[in-house]
Amino acid sequence: MNATTASTTALMVNQSDCPEVEVPVPLFFTIGVVGLAENFLVVVAVICNRNLHSPMYCFICSLAAFNTIASLAKTWENLMLVFAGVGQLDQRGSSETKLDDVMDSLLCMSFVGSIFSFMAIAVDRYITIFHALRYHNIMTMRRTAAILGVIWTTCGVLAMLMVRFFDTIFIMTCFIIFFLISLVLIGCLYVYMFMLARIHARRIAALPTSGSGRGRWRRQRWRGGTMRGALTLTILFGAFVVCWAPFFLHLIIIMVCPLNPYCECYRSLFQLHVVLLMSHALIDPAIYAFRSAELRHTFRKMLLCSDWR
Amino acid sequence: MSDFHNQSQASARRSDYVWQYEYYDDEEPVSFEGLKAHRYSIVIGFWVGLAVFVIFMFFVLTLLTKTGAPHQENPEHAEKHHRPGSCLADNGSPQDENERAFSRPLLPESRSFFHFYISEEEQGQGKCKAEDQGGEESEERQPLQGLVDEGKSDRESAFLSHFNIPNFVNLEHSSTLGEDDLLLCEPSAMLGSQSRSQDAHRNIN
């Protein structure tokens, strides 16, 4: 009696009210491949064009490199999952699990690395504003190379540690706390910069004018400019939060409430959250790299196969 | 990571058929009966909260733009004193030089945040020759559009060769920035002396 009821309940429970939402594999592949192509182009463009060998472009290049690795690892993992689903690969085989570990560590590395790159870009912009006169003394190319070396080594080590010990709650908590701290830091840096920029723009708008009409027009243009600045900042920060937060909430929920039905319904959307994460790698170049006229110029040269330098 | 998740889910499902009590299973929920709220309430609540946060952030930022300028009169007076000076002294007035110094990008490849400064200088020079001819148009357009023209680099290098940068810093001036340019372009290079800029230029190239 007990066994039958248990088994029937198990059968019923198996088709839970919140079935896992499946994202079609072609969508995964499209996002992965497009993200890979975009970011790889950015990396190649920054390396090839000597004008772009400045600290800020180095950080953007590093961000694009991490996104490339993330897209590559995710696409590869999808390929392997497709093959495993079809039956070509044994999901429990030792080489497959090792490969899976490698890909997971690459993914972790790229996640942590892109967060570090965001922080580096924000700090670089911060130094540009607050220590503008000493910028070239503070941020030399050597220091940039050292910072990038530290970032990449830390990410590699962290990735290996994370994948080995991901089951422990401590590592996951560290990961989540790291994400939250970097979110707060980046947010504060950008809002501070925005506020100072606003003060400056206000000063420009307050310049003496020959007529009151011009003054009003200036103020309107100033407001228009700061409005665009607010929009840009919202997009920058909003995209980061919208793409990363669902995944991290998933991690928190795994730790905190694995048995709760509400949490189960949230966890069923796991694949959607991974798609969001991958699409962040896709929109990052649009937010950071493609804003620069020089980089766009380099792209046009590269894609139209005209003279490389 | 999804592989790991799938594997653990699959193994948990397999163990379902062995265990008698499904509430020991930590992959499937205990029961979906007696739920007070909607199943996806966490999902909905999370996304609504996220949307509210982003919109709130945007409104806070735009609200900051709409607040008035309390010290608008002082910079006006200050500028009034220095404007005629720049014309008369042939770009020799110290205040003007400070502004120019701190606003100039000293590397051709670093596109400037401070193009409005440069066009102000141009306008200042132009004023010496003629009254402002609507140079204000270009002045306003540059900072507020945020993206920099490639052709500016030639004019910048021409500027570079024409005047000296003073060695002292006015922190107030140097710490402000056009936010559009800030967020859309790369940072400008600000140096206290021309020689240092040339060295840096050589380093980067």
Side-chain angles (χ1 to χ4, degrees):
Chain A
M1 193 66 168
N2 230 359
T4 43
T5 49
S7 60
T8 45
T9 332
L11 269 173
M12 276 162 48
V13 159
N14 225 359
Q15 304 150 21
S16 73
D17 282 346
C18 286
E20 176 151 355
V21 172
E22 300 250 342
V23 172
V25 172
L27 183 65
F28 262 122
F29 272 123
T30 318
I31 294 182
V33 166
V34 173
L36 184 67
E38 260 189 345
N39 287 293
F40 187 66
L41 270 179
V42 171
V43 172
V44 166
V46 172
I47 290 177
C48 285
N49 187 352
R50 304 221 58 191
N51 284 344
L52 299 176
H53 288 182
S54 68
M56 186 188 164
Y57 282 116
C58 288
F59 291 131
I60 288 181
C61 179
S62 146
L63 177 69
F66 280 121
N67 284 332
T68 312
I69 293 176
S71 303
L72 189 69
K74 198 63 200 120
T75 313
W76 193 7
E77 188 168 9
N78 276 325
L79 258 176
M80 289 196 44
L81 278 176
V82 164
F83 282 143
V86 162
Q88 293 286 337
L89 283 178
D90 176 24
Q91 238 176 358
R92 309 291 227 102
S94 68
S95 61
E96 277 79 10
T97 42
K98 272 200 202 121
L99 211 53
D100 190 53
D101 276 345
V102 165
M103 287 191 301
D104 282 343
S105 59
L106 279 179
L107 271 172
C108 273
M109 178 172 101
S110 58
F111 290 163
V112 175
S114 52
I115 292 182
F116 272 134
S117 299
F118 290 138
M119 284 208 291
I121 290 175
V123 168
D124 179 64
R125 287 175 173 173
Y126 180 86
I127 293 177
T128 305
I129 298 176
F130 288 90
H131 305 283
L133 288 173
R134 293 181 291 137
Y135 176 75
H136 273 288
N137 292 336
I138 297 177
M139 195 65 88
T140 56
M141 280 307 278
R142 262 202 200 163
R143 280 203 191 138
T144 310
I147 291 171
L148 285 179
V150 164
I151 288 178
W152 280 80
T153 334
T154 316
C155 292
V157 166
L158 273 177
M160 273 184 260
L161 283 177
M162 264 194 242
V163 171
R164 283 265 319 163
F165 302 112
F166 201 74
D167 300 336
T168 61
I169 293 203
F170 175 68
I171 292 284
M172 257 207 265
T173 323
C174 282
F175 200 41
I176 291 167
I177 290 177
F178 166 70
F179 170 69
L180 289 172
I181 290 177
S182 55
L183 196 74
V184 167
L185 201 70
I186 294 175
C188 288
L189 276 174
Y190 275 122
V191 170
Y192 199 22
M193 286 192 276
F194 175 80
M195 280 167 53
L196 282 183
R198 186 186 64 94
I199 291 171
H200 177 75
R202 196 201 289 154
R203 285 220 190 108
I204 293 291
L207 285 173
T209 60
S210 52
S212 63
R214 266 214 197 117
R216 224 180 299 127
W217 179 70
R218 257 188 218 265
R219 274 190 290 277
Q220 278 172 4
R221 292 306 300 262
W222 161 62
R223 288 226 184 91
T226 20
M227 190 68 102
R228 281 195 67 211
L231 190 65
T232 307
L233 190 55
T234 311
I235 290 175
L236 206 79
F237 201 62
F240 182 66
V241 168
V242 164
C243 291
W244 286 83
F247 180 74
F248 277 85
L249 187 62
H250 181 94
L251 291 183
I252 294 174
I253 277 183
I254 287 181
M255 288 196 310
V256 165
C257 59
L259 295 179
N260 197 326
Y262 298 112
C263 298
E264 163 73 13
C265 284
Y266 185 86
R267 282 189 293 140
S268 66
L269 301 176
F270 177 71
Q271 294 197 10
L272 282 177
H273 300 152
V274 173
V275 165
L276 264 180
L277 214 53
M278 286 172 69
S279 59
H280 186 66
L282 198 76
I283 61 180
D284 257 348
I287 297 177
Y288 285 96
F290 293 165
R291 295 288 197 177
S292 143
E294 176 79 36
L295 204 63
R296 285 203 305 266
H297 188 56
T298 315
F299 274 129
R300 252 177 263 135
K301 272 192 193 168
M302 276 167 52
L303 291 176
L304 299 178
C305 292
S306 41
D307 53 296
W308 276 73
R309 304 271 175 226
Chain B
M1 261 182 219
S2 62
D3 207 12
F4 160 73
H5 193 76
N6 286 342
Q7 278 186 2
S8 53
Q9 267 188 344
S11 60
R13 264 190 228 113
R14 269 191 286 271
S15 56
D16 270 351
Y17 301 107
V18 174
W19 288 345
Q20 298 294 317
Y21 306 103
E22 65 269 20
Y23 50 81
Y24 278 5
D25 175 21
D26 70 341
E27 280 303 330
E28 305 292 344
V30 178
S31 77
F32 270 100
E33 293 143 28
L35 287 185
K36 289 186 219 100
H38 189 260
R39 292 186 316 228
Y40 285 106
S41 51
I42 290 188
V43 178
I44 295 170
F46 171 73
W47 282 105
V48 166
L50 205 62
V52 163
F53 169 72
V54 172
I55 293 174
F56 170 73
M57 187 172 64
F58 179 67
F59 277 125
V60 161
L61 290 174
T62 48
L63 213 69
L64 287 177
T65 73
K66 286 196 176 19
T67 54
H71 304 293
Q72 211 160 354
E73 286 73 39
N74 293 343
E76 270 185 10
H77 289 307
E79 297 297 342
K80 270 187 186 130
H81 286 305
H82 288 106
R83 280 268 169 203
S86 68
C87 279
L88 296 171
D90 192 11
N91 307 328
S93 92
Q95 189 70 29
D96 233 14
E97 273 194 4
N98 285 353
E99 284 196 10
R100 254 184 273 124
F102 307 144
S103 64
R104 248 183 322 120
L106 292 165
L107 295 177
E109 69 265 14
S110 65
R111 299 293 164 257
S112 169
F113 282 148
F114 300 92
H115 273 236
F116 45 76
Y117 273 125
I118 290 182
S119 46
E120 268 177 56
E121 300 162 22
E122 289 176 313
Q123 192 200 347
Q125 288 179 354
K127 258 185 185 165
C128 300
K129 296 162 194 158
E131 289 310 306
D132 36 347
Q133 301 276 339
E136 285 179 335
E137 293 250 4
S138 55
E139 174 198 340
E140 291 280 44
R141 218 170 281 136
Q142 267 132 29
L144 304 178
Q145 291 190 342
L147 283 180
V148 172
D149 202 67
E150 291 262 346
K152 292 250 186 276
S153 58
D154 301 325
R155 262 189 289 160
E156 290 164 28
S157 38
F159 267 138
L160 273 174
S161 54
H162 282 299
F163 45 85
N164 296 317
I165 312 167
N167 282 326
F168 62 95
V169 177
N170 185 348
L171 284 175
E172 211 180 353
H173 279 281
S174 66
S175 62
T176 54
L177 192 48
E179 70 275 6
D180 247 39
D181 301 74
L182 151 70
L183 295 167
L184 299 181
C185 305
E186 56 278 25
S188 73
M190 309 274 282
L191 289 185
S193 72
Q194 204 170 3
S195 56
R196 236 183 281 158
S197 76
Q198 284 170 354
D199 288 335
H201 184 80
R202 253 180 266 126
N203 278 341
I204 284 190
N205 280 340

